[in-house]
Amino acid sequence: MHLVVIGNGAAGLSALNRFRAIDTDSQLTLISAESGTAYSRVLLPYYLRRKIPYENLFIRRPEDYEKLGVRPEFGMRVSRVHPETHSLTLEDGRSIGFDRLLIATGSRPFLPPVEGLAGTNVCHLWTLRDTEQLDTLFQPGRRALVLGSGFIALQAAWAAQQRDLNVTVYELLPRIMPTILDERGAALLQQRVEEHGVEVRTAIHTERVDRSKTGVLTVHAKNHPPLEVDLIIVGAGVRPNIEFLAGSPIRTDRGILIDEYMQTNVPGIYAAGDVARGPTSFGETHQTHALWPTAVEHGKIAGENLTGRHVPYQGSLNMNVTEMFGITVASMGKFIEERGHSSHPVENGPSHYLKIVLREGVPVGAVALGGAEDAVILGRLRPWVRNRRRLPDVEGFLKGRYLLPRQVA
Amino acid sequence: MRIVAVDPTSCVACRNCEYACAFKQTGDFDTKASNIRVNFYPEERVCIPWTCVHCGEGWCMEICPAGAILRNPETGAVEIDAKRCAGCKMCLLACPTGSIHFDKVELVSKKCDLCGGDPSCVKFCTSGALQFVEEDEAYSFRRESLDAKLIRLFGLTKRGS
Amino acid sequence: MPERQTVQTLCRMCDDRCAINVYLEDGKIVDIDGYKDHPWNRGRLCVKARAAVDMVYHPERLLKPLKKTKKGFEEIPLEQALDEIAERLSTVKEKYGARSVSIWKGEAIGFAQEEEMARRFVHALGSPNYFSNDSMCYNGRYFGYRLVEGSWPVPDYESSRCVVLWGANPPHAHPNMTQMIMRARKAGAKLVVVDPRMSAIARQADLHAALKPGTDGALALGLIQQLIETQMFDREFVENYTVGFDELAGYAKAFSPEAVEGETGVPAALVREIARTMAGAAPRVTVYVGNGPEHHENGINNIRAVACLDAILGALDREGGNRLVDGFQGAHLTLYDEIPLEHLGPIGADRFPVLYGFRQECHTMTGMDTILSGKPYPLRAMILTAANPAMTNPNTLKVRKALESLDLFVVRDLFMTETTELADYVLPAASFLERVELHTHAKYQTVTMTRKILEYPDVQDEYQFWHDLSHRLGFGKYFPWKDETELTSWILESADLSLEQAAAHPEGIEYAPIRYERWKSETLGTPSGKVEFRSQYLEDLGYPALPEYKPPAYLDAPDPDYPYVLITGARKLLYYHSRFRNIKRFRTAIPGPEAELHPRDAAALGVADGEEIRITSRIGSLEVPVKIMSKSEILPGTLQLTHGWKEANANLLTHDDRFDPISGFPLMKAVEVRLEKVEKV
């Protein structure tokens, strides 16, 4: 059997490991648009602020692929997939046949259609290349604008601040980290960010960017004085890499649609990670969670099922954690109360906020701003959310009770 | 492989294990640095020591974005390589039992590594509640005694509630 | 990698005496862990043992003799110190008589040959005045049990089916017992804990009788009443091997479960259940009494009542019960026969005849009064070793005043303490890693020898000190051995063992096989040779013959000015009495003293966790932060303060003027106090 995996990121690597743990015979080919061995996207901001050395970004060595018996095709794009002939065409014209295919091409950052935005000194923080570019642009005293306030955007802002740049953040929506924090959390985090000397503007609509001959960027936002900066980092969301599937029978809709076995509508073709829209642990059928943990889970299930097994996925639970501005920010599940939800917020001072959201006594989500211990609490809560178990004594849980839920995810 | 099995019917929350582990890690007795924690619930009179059980499919290992968590081939222990850890804290979010903690000074995650095969906590356990035993022995031992205590603690009246 | 040597010895950070491996590199001790082959601890250790490494090399360790001068303490050569001490002792002896000189031996040096050496010295000098920590520890239980069954038994935990811990908390006080108790439980034994607090061991109790402090006798008599009423007692044993049963049964009748509930607060149903549990497990019932019941005004009779349970259950000297032990046959060093000095009026002997009669001990608290008053005769000199009474004896202020006023006060210790501060001479003492001595573990009837692993030039072990001093004072013939090794060898040989054998057996040598039911063939150590529910000996001395119950004063005659009851002295694992506060990591774990308070009382006082309260007794007052316990951990109206903290010295509050009349033990665990919140200025 010949399995081809497209993508050298979290989902692809996770699938490779799982596949090989079960199937040591089949042929494995790994195609990746980026050249070089795998690096960790999560770690890029940590390098940018010099928390880790450059070498630590790489989470695979060439020999790791050898050991797994994988034939790598790095620095090569796929231009078309032909499910009917079980083959795909590479950019250089070559054709590769497959028995099974895993598409884990991930996503790429989205550049908002702002006039003058595209051009020099405007970057994303997504790839290793981006990071190396930002690294040279980060000089003490320079002025940076971060467009967006999601995970990546704020991590970029933090890295810039740590490298002694003057940083401003523009967020389109009324609060920062809108998909990660609730209102209160966002307000507290914003305070924290501002305490570090980073300017934050929310509900701000960027309309135009002018470029001077010397490379200085002037950013024009609605009802707001123009801002002069030396560089702009755009963290305004991602789009799945599915262009090469145009015209193919593989069904997409803002991402590749997969079932709970990670399979697309075409038998033998699977998808995983940022590129896919699959089931969530709350019962939704097609959602994208462009998150590292989801990519790892997808990859694992896909890898298993690609061996011929038939293991359903429990569903993705959105969760993420990062350390920035001297505070741990973590969130999970549905942390904004909807109708029928109750919540249990705890605030111990300006830098500590923890909220668990429950539905009929079952935890459905949580958000935390604080220390590492809060991430541990969310970790302990996760099996309850995953397995829809009632948690009658939230106070006790926060104090350390209920060490073990009956089933462990 | 052998893991540290805990018996909540013998534990008296004397915390020798926490002191011994903290001492091994740091030379001091700050129990925040200990990889084993004892939870004592006075109202129910339940003492539960807990440490990493070195899961067969360690979620922390699978999820680590730095590839810093690996299994020790000799002891079978799931170990964090502090030199590779970036301090992203994803493992804290991953562990369902809260067995990983974060060192605020070194800014890396820390967890039990079975002391390379001679766990200090077991050596210093006053009551014999901690034993270093083969996994399958440990699970049955834990399940019986843990279930009784958990039932009392959770106020459950029947199994599977 | 430097080469490592390993030496086995015994740890003496506390009195559990666990067997340890001591690791050396280039002659320096670098690590300590448990020695697996000794039956006592089987390789397990608490974290104090490893701290011995820090202790022996501690920068504050005393290494040179000190003399108090007008300018403070000055280092002087050892020989000079010994010369001067001998000279000044002679002066005091000539001026006031031999009995004006006394010795005080503390807990830290232990109870075997080290204790006997101290007793030997003071008698050889011509004084009957031997004081020790046993004026307020251990003797309470020893007397209670000896009066009833002839000696102090050893709990036979592992074969037991019902372990009763009465005012004892092994995890903090004798850690090793914990694993024995848990082994018994794993084999199906029930654990009953009698303690006003939820101590560490009580966390695992199947039945916890949280009785009011000092009411132990009522509960014990209540259990006796139940066992008799339900006919669940060992009739054969009682009929053949005891005296006074009918009297005891008659006296116990009034202690119905309801009456016991009224007195102790323990629910009547629980009293019945404990009795049923004990009866169901008999004769495999082990009752172990800790220090808790000793520090009360009715302590001895309370303990006697508990001791009666052994015979009533038929558990005395039976497997799984309380076993009588054979002592080690090694020669004794005391001179009570050779130089009897009772006629010289040992201090406290007239007041507490049982104390002197049973143990040839003088009464330390009476000693303080004697020093200050000069009555019945002057007490002017004291050599004190391994003790810190300025912190650990009741009524600290009086103790300090007394010790300061001595003509000569010599103190031996490893570190400067509150007591050394008062001394004229401070002599550096050898730690347990620097001494060769024998220890017995009664449970296994083994004798184990310790090793001298470290040595400092001017730091003497006890033997060396007594030897050098006695030779200067003209009675060196009583200390003829060259050194402690020779003495230890002599003791071993008297028991048909040798130094070589002892050195070759770090796991201990069994000196007599374990046996049970000796009462079948031998008489017990009581005057009648049987278990004495009634004691003629006590009656002849003017005490009640039966273990009568007298309620503690705070229940009998409550004083609205002192509405709370203070318990002092509950153990914490890391600190042994006043020791080890200079071990840095121990301070990280337990930074300071705390008054353990019930949440209801804290609320009434308006005090939050960590805030300070002032505790005032009729003796004195102190301020200390509060730790609010869970409501199931302590009784409302009571509070607990551990001793040994100079930041909040519990003995500023405890009584040296109220005693158990038989043992002379001071009231320390039911002290009437009032509490108020300390308002921050």
Side-chain angles (χ1 to χ4, degrees), chain C residues 131-172:
Chain C
F131 295 101
S132 86
N133 57 296
D134 285 346
S135 273
M136 42 185 269
C137 185
Y138 172 70
N139 275 338
R141 293 165 283 161
Y142 175 66
F143 296 168
Y145 273 82
R146 179 169 155 175
L147 286 163
V148 172
E149 50 198 50
S151 77
W152 165 245
V154 128
D156 208 33
Y157 288 125
E158 279 119 326
S159 326
S160 179
R161 282 209 284 265
C162 174
V163 174
V164 181
L165 294 176
W166 204 301
N169 187 22
H172 290 178

Side-chain angles (χ1 to χ4, degrees), chain B residues 7-13 16 19 23 27-30 40 42-43 45 122-128 130 149, chain C residues 44-47 50 171 175 178-179 182 185-186 198 200 202-205 573 585-586 588-589 630-633:
Chain B
D7 177 7
T9 61
S10 287
C11 176
V12 290
N16 251 312
Y19 298 142
F23 181 66
D28 200 355
F29 278 3
D30 184 351
F40 170 50
E43 295 306 318
R45 276 193 305 123
V122 173
K123 280 159 75 150
F124 286 93
C125 174
T126 307
S127 65
L130 302 177
K149 290 284 171 170
Chain C
R44 280 191 192 266
L45 269 191
C46 83
V47 291
R50 172 60 181 73
T178 315
Q179 56 167 308
M182 292 310 165
R185 289 186 77 226
K186 280 217 165 65
M198 190 202 294
R203 293 168 180 163
Q204 284 296 349
L573 174 72
R585 58 186 179 274
F586 287 9
T588 304
S630 142
K631 65 184 194 300
S632 52
E633 289 181 295

Side-chain angles (χ1 to χ4, degrees), chain C residues 574-585:
Chain C
L574 301 177
Y575 297 118
Y576 206 64
H577 302 305
S578 64
R579 307 207 285 275
F580 312 140
R581 274 43 174 214
N582 61 358
I583 304 284
K584 187 173 162 291
R585 58 186 179 274

Side-chain angles (χ1 to χ4, degrees), chain A residues 363-384:
Chain A
V364 293
V367 75
L369 215 63
E373 315 74 51
D374 300 295
V376 175
I377 289 175
L378 261 59
R380 282 174 47 227
L381 189 66
R382 193 167 56 86
W384 262 273

Side-chain angles (χ1 to χ4, degrees), chain C residues 60 62 124 162 175 223 290 297 467 495 538 582 588 610 651:
Chain C
E60 291 167 10
L62 295 172
C162 174
L223 293 172
E297 292 177 279
H467 168 279
L538 280 182
N582 61 358
T588 304
N651 287 315

